[in-house]
Amino acid sequence: MAEAHQAVAFQFTVTPEGIDLQLSHQALTEIYLSGVRSWKKRIVRLKNSVITGVYPASPSSWLFVVIAILATMYTRSDPSMGLIAKIQEHLPSMSTQCQAVVSAVLFSTMLWLLLIFTMRLCLKQLLSYHRWMFEQHGKMSNTTKVWVALVRIFSGRKPLLYSYQGSLPNLPLPTTKDTVKRYLESVRPLMDDTQFERMTKLATEFETTLGNRLQWYLKLKALWAANYVSDWWEEYVYLRGRSPIMVNSNYYGMDFLYVTPTPIQAARAGNTIHAMLLYRRKLNKEEIKPSRIPGTVIPLCAAQCERMFNTTRTPGEETDTVQHWQDSDYVAVYHRGRYFRLRVYHSGRLLSPREIEFQIQRILDDTSPPSKGEEKLGALTAGDRIPWAKARVKYFSSGVNKRSLDCIEKAAFFVTLDDDEQGMMGDDPAASLDRYAKSLLHGKCYDRWFDKSFSVVFYKNGKNGMNAEHSWADAPVVAHLWEYALATDSFQLGYNAEGHCKGEVDSSLPKPQKLNWEIPPECEELISQSLAVAQNLADDVDFHVFSFRDFGKGKVKKCRVSPDAFIQIALQLAYYRERGSFCLTYEASMTRLFREGRTETVRSCTSESSAFVQALDGEEVPWRLFRAASEKHQQLYRMAMTGAGIDRHLFCLYVVSKYLGEESPFLKEVLSEPWRLSTSQTPVQQVELFDLVNHPEYISCGGGFGPVADDGYGVSYCIVGDNMINFHISCKHSCPQTDAHKFGAQIRKALRDILQLLSPNQQEKEPKKTGESRPENGEKKVPIHKCLLV
């Protein structure tokens, strides 16, 4: 119990002589330093709020306006056209000169605020322009050139992370007519004439009757709310789901594919945890550069970053909630069935990587057994949500269990020290990658805390990985943190010759505190039931991860084709060859061009792509059909990004209908259609952090997720450089029609066949050139570390 006593600031005993008060100097010092750190953060937040609040102007510009007004008054001219004199009349009694100065300052302040409002309004209007995205690649109109220049002018001052938030436009609300029209177009290749005629009739009836009424309510919400989709999307798609979030919702990210910076588990944890806390410090100070559309000056919404750390998902019987705390000075650690509280600050400073390694090693060396019922406690977060919600209220709402649970939920993030070895290794590296993916996705079903915003897993051989909860943010936000952590770990912090973290250790560091639990037999039974549900789900997941090295985006772009469109059409071809039919296909696209934007769906199965796929295995190979399919896909992707998608609008119309108690056969059928092919690209966002010229082996395999439909596939892919594409394929063993390995083989064949189709036509169209080779947009080819991997 020595660790518990270290947390007590004072002790007292009652004696015949009175009360004997014993103060702990160390504990009081830590309380004082913690308070100082907290107040420093408040001051930084206040300062950043002022800077962000006046953006795109700067606080110092106020002084410039005041001096300018006073200077013009000194020349006996009135720039206010009588307003200064009006203000002066309402000032309290003081000298005439003092009144003139005060009134001038007040007028200057009002003028300054008006200028800020005008500049912000202009920037908002500029960021609402999206025609540039639909222009032919490499050919920019004069209008777009002027627009780019104006955006640069209004974004000239160095922005903080959240500087653009007040200037981002609201997500536009499409008309019901346009959405219904695009929906019918998207399902045409999936239906025969009879089915399509029936669906058209349902859609037309909806559009002319209930649709107009529902749209009216959505218009009100779009005027009132910053984003008419995001709050309902978070609540109804994520938080109200009662099935397990493990596999069904959470996703994962992998370590480097070919290298492990150190084989020492504690050392890898020391550097990675320290790097993540450095990222949190930059996040709190808003020193992270605002994300932008690659290759442009267009900012993306940063609202999702706010809940990255110190956040957990709390279960409820009807709906879960996301709880976020402003700060946390520790991380929660799981090892061999025990939970620990590891403080990452000491004497008011962040622990060094070597000190964190030292503390992690203490946990690894701790031989104390887990408390009764503690070992598999995490299974509650992996099973169904309602049993977990009831157990939380009944067994974790008071006493020692509440204190320990609070410690986990309020931690900066969760850490698992895994005794297994993972990564691409052994005689069968392909199978080892599959095991690695499954381990990150669900582990043993009880050794992760799936409710935390993210959990970091460190394996015995030094490999690591991440599992993230989905409701608070989408994968690109978490990937940004993960890229920073990987790059900082390897290229900035580094390791000494023995593989340990660099630096010294303060010998006065207190030991990590082991959490205590009192788990009654009834709760143990609930834990066992949740574990059984989670284990059945995990065992049913079939996973296959592979790197496609035949070619990458380099050869695809030489064929004047978007790499993403190329891969999506290949997925359509692979699915058709395996199942003999087409399916509703989900491709995730972001809407972060708008305030509080999250995602939109690109329906990748189109009439154009299905026409190409059906013609490909025929006697003639109409490569022009591929061009049409590719252009259609790009058009749909751009429309989704600019707020003209289909599915989020239909989803919100459905929510309104439920609030009104109205039944719509059309919306009910649309929202119940299964996504048998759910796909997503994992882009590398911070290429500048990785020196891939000198260290080309430092590439990540990306990440993945579980299947969305019981009889479908989940496919995540990561385009790495010019010559590699990594794929993560998931499905379920229980479905006899799906097999992740067979589908992976079909994807490889489809990629090769399409490139073979395009290459001869490309060679005929473009004669060989001497000198420096250029891609289709006429730009010079650049090294891999400078490419925009999108």
Side-chain angles (χ1 to χ4, degrees):
M1 295 297 291
E3 296 87 353
H5 286 300
Q6 292 172 358
V8 180
F10 65 91
Q11 302 173 359
F12 67 91
T13 56
V14 180
T15 66
E17 290 77 20
I19 297 177
D20 180 19
L21 188 65
Q22 300 175 358
L23 296 177
S24 169
H25 176 73
Q26 180 183 356
L28 290 177
T29 301
E30 288 298 325
I31 291 171
Y32 166 75
L33 292 173
S34 178
V36 170
R37 176 171 166 267
S38 177
W39 276 102
K40 283 182 178 179
K41 290 187 67 175
R42 291 183 186 181
I43 293 171
V44 169
R45 287 196 194 101
L46 179 61
K47 182 193 76 172
N48 289 340
S49 296
V50 172
I51 295 174
T52 302
V54 302
Y55 190 85
S58 64
S60 59
S61 63
W62 173 83
L63 186 60
F64 174 81
V65 174
V66 170
I67 293 173
I69 295 297
L70 290 174
T72 55
M73 290 181 63
Y74 182 76
T75 61
R76 298 188 181 280
S77 60
D78 185 7
S80 69
M81 295 181 291
L83 284 176
I84 292 178
K86 288 286 186 183
I87 295 172
Q88 197 168 342
E89 292 174 3
H90 294 84
L91 291 177
S93 299
M94 59 181 76
S95 65
T96 304
Q97 186 176 6
C98 188
Q99 280 186 331
V101 171
V102 172
S103 59
V105 170
L106 290 174
F107 172 77
S108 302
T109 302
M110 290 188 293
L111 178 62
W112 180 64
L113 292 174
L114 180 62
L115 290 172
I116 290 172
F117 176 77
T118 304
M119 292 174 67
R120 183 170 288 188
L121 187 62
C122 291
L123 183 57
K124 189 170 186 176
Q125 292 301 315
L126 288 169
L127 295 179
S128 300
Y129 172 82
H130 298 126
R131 281 178 54 192
W132 62 273
M133 198 177 294
F134 296 88
E135 293 177 352
Q136 189 175 349
H137 196 61
K139 294 184 179 180
M140 187 183 296
S141 67
N142 291 331
T143 303
T144 300
K145 289 178 182 177
V146 172
W147 168 76
V148 170
L150 289 173
V151 172
R152 289 186 184 278
I153 290 171
F154 281 95
S155 306
R157 190 173 62 83
K158 184 179 179 181
L160 298 175
L161 176 62
Y162 301 118
S163 291
Y164 287 105
Q165 291 303 101
S167 301
L168 290 173
N170 291 359
L171 182 69
L173 177 64
T175 65
T176 308
K177 181 180 179 180
D178 288 344
T179 297
V180 168
K181 179 183 176 181
R182 288 195 291 269
Y183 168 78
L184 290 174
E185 182 183 348
S186 72
V187 297
R188 186 64 189 95
L190 307 175
M191 298 179 177
D192 58 30
D193 292 341
T194 304
Q195 293 171 325
F196 185 71
E197 184 179 349
R198 172 182 165 278
M199 182 55 73
T200 302
K201 184 178 179 181
L202 285 175
T204 304
E205 182 182 351
F206 168 78
E207 181 188 337
T208 54
T209 54
L210 182 60
N212 290 328
R213 185 183 174 200
L214 302 181
Q215 180 77 353
W216 186 83
Y217 282 95
L218 269 191
K219 285 180 180 178
L220 286 181
K221 187 183 181 187
L223 288 173
W224 175 254
N227 191 297
Y228 78 92
V229 175
S230 293
D231 57 338
W232 285 350
W233 186 254
E234 179 177 308
E235 180 180 358
Y236 292 105
V237 172
Y238 294 115
L239 298 180
R240 282 187 180 263
R242 303 293 81 198
S243 59
I245 61 175
M246 183 199 78
V247 174
N248 293 325
S249 179
N250 286 30
Y251 54 92
Y252 68 86
M254 281 187 168
D255 192 8
F256 295 120
L257 185 60
Y258 298 116
V259 296
T260 305
T262 177
I264 302 174
Q265 184 179 19
R268 192 73 194 282
N271 264 6
T272 304
I273 293 173
H274 183 83
M276 288 184 160
L277 294 170
L278 290 179
Y279 188 93
R280 186 178 70 164
R281 178 186 291 172
K282 291 167 71 74
L283 186 66
N284 290 337
K285 294 182 177 181
E286 299 184 31
E287 294 175 350
I288 297 171
K289 294 180 181 179
S291 296
R292 302 177 187 273
I293 295 286
T296 74
V297 295
I298 312 305
L300 301 176
C301 179
Q304 295 179 52
C305 299
E306 295 173 356
R307 299 183 292 180
M308 185 175 294
F309 294 91
N310 330 317
T311 298
T312 195
R313 174 171 173 163
T314 304
E317 291 194 37
E318 291 186 3
T319 181
D320 294 353
T321 55
V322 177
Q323 288 187 286
H324 171 71
W325 291 268
Q326 288 294 333
D327 194 19
S328 179
D329 62 355
Y330 64 91
V331 296
V333 182
Y334 177 91
H335 178 242
R336 291 185 180 175
R338 294 93 40 86
Y339 291 87
F340 294 85
R341 177 190 196 139
L342 171 57
R343 294 191 179 275
V344 291
Y345 283 86
H346 182 68
S347 300
R349 64 173 179 81
L350 176 63
L351 296 186
S352 68
R354 184 69 183 90
E355 288 172 326
I356 296 177
E357 177 190 351
F358 176 73
Q359 296 289 72
I360 291 291
Q361 192 61 52
R362 278 178 158 180
I363 293 175
L364 292 172
D365 295 339
D366 190 317
T367 57
S368 61
S371 304
K372 188 174 182 292
E374 178 185 11
E375 181 180 7
K376 299 179 180 179
L377 176 64
L380 289 171
T381 69
D384 291 324
R385 303 304 291 173
I386 294 177
W388 172 210
K390 291 180 177 179
R392 191 176 188 276
V393 172
K394 189 172 183 179
Y395 302 110
F396 299 91
S397 58
S398 63
V400 64
N401 287 350
K402 184 181 188 306
R403 290 193 295 272
S404 294
L405 180 62
D406 283 348
C407 182
I408 293 174
E409 293 185 335
K410 295 179 180 180
F413 52 90
F414 192 80
V415 173
T416 293
L417 303 176
D418 202 311
D419 284 338
D420 294 337
E421 295 186 356
Q422 297 292 350
M424 190 169 67
M425 58 187 185
D427 298 332
D428 191 351
S432 66
L433 272 182
D434 298 345
R435 290 192 297 270
Y436 183 23
K438 280 179 64 68
S439 175
L440 289 174
L441 185 65
H442 54 67
K444 297 182 179 69
C445 302
Y446 58 81
D447 54 351
R448 318 277 188 261
W449 200 266
F450 294 100
D451 286 355
K452 284 299 289 180
S453 54
F454 66 89
S455 302
V456 190
V457 184
F458 298 97
Y459 294 101
K460 190 175 181 180
N461 58 342
K463 277 291 179 186
N464 66 9
M466 172 187 283
N467 182 288
E469 200 274 316
H470 209 325
S471 65
W472 65 275
D474 300 309
V477 176
V478 179
H480 197 275
L481 162 68
W482 191 235
E483 288 172 9
Y484 178 89
L486 289 177
T488 304
D489 167 28
S490 300
F491 299 119
Q492 294 185 30
L493 300 176
Y495 301 89
N496 62 24
E498 290 77 30
H500 293 282
C501 298
K502 299 175 182 177
E504 301 296 330
V505 177
D506 185 345
S507 58
S508 66
L509 289 176
K511 288 185 177 181
Q513 177 188 353
K514 184 180 181 298
L515 303 185
N516 296 311
W517 307 87
E518 294 177 358
I519 310 295
E522 298 84 1
C523 185
E524 287 189 73
E525 178 61 28
L526 287 175
I527 293 171
S528 298
Q529 292 173 7
S530 291
L531 180 58
V533 171
Q535 194 65 60
N536 287 336
L537 179 60
D539 291 343
D540 196 22
V541 174
D542 181 18
F543 230 101
H544 182 44
V545 180
F546 68 92
S547 293
F548 182 79
R549 299 186 184 89
D550 291 22
F551 59 86
K553 73 168 186 176
K555 282 190 176 181
V556 174
K557 292 180 79 172
K558 284 182 180 179
C559 297
R560 298 190 176 188
V561 177
S562 158
D564 184 67
F566 184 94
I567 294 172
Q568 285 292 330
I569 296 171
L571 292 176
Q572 292 298 315
L573 176 59
Y575 188 91
Y576 183 78
R577 284 173 170 174
E578 183 186 73
R579 303 284 281 269
S581 62
F582 297 103
C583 70
L584 195 61
T585 304
Y586 183 111
E587 181 187 4
S589 165
M590 67 168 183
T591 55
R592 290 172 63 199
L593 287 168
F594 305 98
R595 191 170 183 178
E596 297 179 18
R598 291 201 58 164
T599 60
E600 178 57 275
T601 304
V602 180
R603 293 179 167 232
S604 300
C605 182
T606 63
S607 296
E608 289 81 358
S609 66
S610 59
F612 163 74
V613 167
Q614 288 175 321
L616 184 61
D617 291 330
E619 295 181 2
E620 292 187 13
V621 182
W623 64 273
R624 289 180 179 83
L625 289 178
F626 179 86
R627 296 288 179 185
S630 173
E631 289 170 6
K632 180 65 174 182
H633 179 270
Q634 286 298 94
Q635 177 75 4
L636 291 176
Y637 203 98
R638 291 163 181 155
M639 291 178 70
M641 285 185 64
T642 53
I646 300 169
D647 290 276
R648 299 302 177 268
H649 186 202
L650 292 174
F651 161 76
C652 288
L653 290 171
Y654 180 76
V655 173
V656 175
S657 73
K658 287 299 180 182
Y659 277 127
L660 296 178
E662 298 280 0
E663 284 294 329
S664 169
F666 170 71
L667 290 177
K668 186 177 181 180
E669 191 158 333
V670 169
L671 272 294
S672 63
E673 292 171 340
W675 300 97
R676 291 192 173 89
L677 193 53
S678 180
T679 70
S680 179
Q681 182 186 168
T682 306
V684 180
Q685 302 170 74
Q686 304 169 89
V687 188
E688 69 279 1
L689 295 179
F690 300 89
D691 183 8
L692 294 179
V693 172
N694 297 315
H695 302 284
E697 69 278 11
Y698 281 85
I699 55 173
S700 171
C701 198
F705 52 88
V708 173
D710 290 338
D711 58 347
Y713 292 103
V715 181
S716 175
Y717 53 94
C718 180
I719 302 173
V720 183
D722 283 341
N723 301 300
M724 180 186 290
I725 308 171
N726 293 321
F727 286 90
H728 301 246
I729 305 170
S730 64
C731 62
K732 292 191 174 182
H733 289 295
S734 57
C735 177
Q737 296 175 297
T738 59
D739 186 303
H741 289 75
K742 289 181 179 178
F743 192 57
Q746 290 286 9
I747 291 174
R748 293 186 189 94
K749 186 176 186 305
L751 291 169
R752 297 187 190 107
D753 289 350
I754 294 177
L755 185 72
Q756 186 178 3
L757 163 71
L758 295 181
S759 296
N761 291 288
Q762 179 66 18
Q763 291 169 7
E764 290 174 13
K765 191 171 182 179
E766 292 187 6
K768 232 178 180 178
K769 297 179 182 178
T770 57
E772 187 176 42
S773 62
R774 296 172 181 265
E776 89 286 354
N777 59 4
E779 297 173 351
K780 290 183 179 180
K781 293 181 85 175
V782 294
I784 186 174
H785 70 293
K786 294 182 180 178
C787 290
L788 294 171
L789 305 182
V790 296

